Amino acid sequence: GRSKVMATAQQQSAQDLDWVASVGNVCASLAFCLSAHISSSYLGGSDSAIFCLVPMLLLLSKDSGLLSALTDNRRYFPLVAVAIGYLVASAMFRLVFRDILEKHHIITKPPGGEYRPEVATVLALSRNLVSLAVTLPGHWMFGSFMWSFKHTRDIYWVLLLPLNFLPLMISDLHSVRLLGALGIAAGAMQLLLSNRIRRYGLQFV
C-alpha cells in the first residue's frame, strides 16, 4: 500500500545520504589528527592538550562503514577511547619506542642529547612501566561501560581504584599521571553511580 511505498522511499533516501555521514566522519577524523600533530610538533606537545582536542570527535556519526555501531548511547565512547589510547601511546613512545626509533635513525635525536628521568635508570624505567600497567585494567572496564552501559561489580573497582594512586606518587611521566587521575575519576564515578542505582532501587522495596 501507500505506507509501504513511503517506507521504501524513506529507506532509499537514507541510503542515498549515507555517504554524507561517511564524508563527515573522515573530515572529523582528519581534523583531529591534524590538530594533534600540530599540538605535538609545534605547540609544545603537552599531553593535557588531548582533552581539548577529543571533543572534536563528537562530530562523528553513525554510518554504514566502520562506525556502523556508533549509536547515540555510545556517543562518548570515542572520546574516552581516543584520550586513553593517546596517553598510553605517548607513554609507550617515551619509555620504549623513542630509543628504538632514534637508534635506527627513523627519528632525529636531539643535538647534545636530552636528560630523560623516566628512562635514566632501569629502576626508573621499570617504575614507570609498572605505573602505566596498573592503570590499564580500570580504563578497560570504564571503556567497556561506555560502550555497553553494563555495570561492573563494585568489588573490581574497590580493588583497582587504589592502584591508580600509584602513578600519581611515583611516575615521572605526565601522561602516566594523567592516566592515574583518569582512573581515579572513572572508578569514583562508577562507585557513585552504583550507589545511586542501589538507593533508587531501595525506594521500591
Side-chain angles (χ1 to χ4, degrees), residues 10 21 34 37 48 75 78 121 123 142-143 166 193 195 199:
Q10 290 176 353
L34 180 61
H37 174 68
S48 301
R75 194 150 190 81
T121 63
L123 178 61
F142 185 66
L166 191 64
L193 179 63
N195 183 57
R199 291 175 62 182

Side-chain angles (χ1 to χ4, degrees), residues 85-183:
Y86 179 90
L87 293 174
V88 171
S90 175
M92 288 299 297
F93 172 76
R94 288 176 169 83
L95 293 174
V96 179
F97 298 118
R98 180 173 175 176
D99 288 335
I100 296 175
L101 295 175
E102 288 179 350
K103 182 178 179 180
H104 291 86
H105 306 289
I106 298 175
I107 61 175
T108 305
K109 190 174 183 179
E114 178 184 356
Y115 179 68
R116 295 158 54 204
E118 64 271 15
V119 293
T121 63
V122 174
L123 178 61
L125 176 60
S126 302
R127 184 176 69 240
N128 285 291
L129 286 174
V130 168
S131 297
L132 173 62
V134 298
T135 67
L136 299 181
H139 289 304
W140 176 265
M141 288 200 307
F142 185 66
S144 298
F145 170 75
M146 294 298 294
W147 180 261
S148 64
F149 280 89
K150 292 182 179 179
H151 184 64
T152 309
R153 293 178 60 184
D154 291 351
I155 185 61
Y156 295 136
W157 282 110
V158 171
L159 294 175
L160 289 175
L161 188 58
L163 294 177
N164 288 282
F165 286 94
L166 191 64
L168 298 178
M169 296 185 291
I170 67 173
S171 180
D172 300 308
L173 278 179
H174 184 53
S175 56
V176 178
R177 291 196 296 269
L178 285 175
L179 285 169
L182 288 176

Side-chain angles (χ1 to χ4, degrees), residues 8-138:
T8 303
Q10 290 176 353
Q11 184 179 5
Q12 183 64 38
S13 177
Q15 291 176 352
D16 292 341
L17 292 176
D18 188 64
W19 66 273
V20 177
S22 299
V23 170
N25 291 336
V26 171
C27 292
S29 301
L30 289 175
F32 171 79
C33 293
L34 180 61
S35 300
H37 174 68
I38 292 174
S39 173
S40 61
S41 300
Y42 303 104
L43 300 178
S46 174
D47 292 319
S48 301
I50 191 64
F51 300 115
C52 299
L53 299 178
V54 289
M56 200 180 300
L57 299 178
L58 287 173
L59 296 172
L60 297 175
S61 60
K62 183 177 179 179
D63 60 16
S64 60
L66 294 176
L67 298 179
S68 59
L70 187 63
T71 60
D72 288 339
N73 291 335
R74 296 168 176 170
R75 194 150 190 81
Y76 291 94
F77 174 80
L79 280 70
V80 173
V82 169
I84 293 172
Y86 179 90
L87 293 174
V88 171
S90 175
M92 288 299 297
F93 172 76
R94 288 176 169 83
L95 293 174
V96 179
F97 298 118
R98 180 173 175 176
D99 288 335
I100 296 175
L101 295 175
E102 288 179 350
K103 182 178 179 180
H104 291 86
H105 306 289
I106 298 175
I107 61 175
T108 305
K109 190 174 183 179
E114 178 184 356
Y115 179 68
R116 295 158 54 204
E118 64 271 15
V119 293
T121 63
V122 174
L123 178 61
L125 176 60
S126 302
R127 184 176 69 240
N128 285 291
L129 286 174
V130 168
S131 297
L132 173 62
V134 298
T135 67
L136 299 181

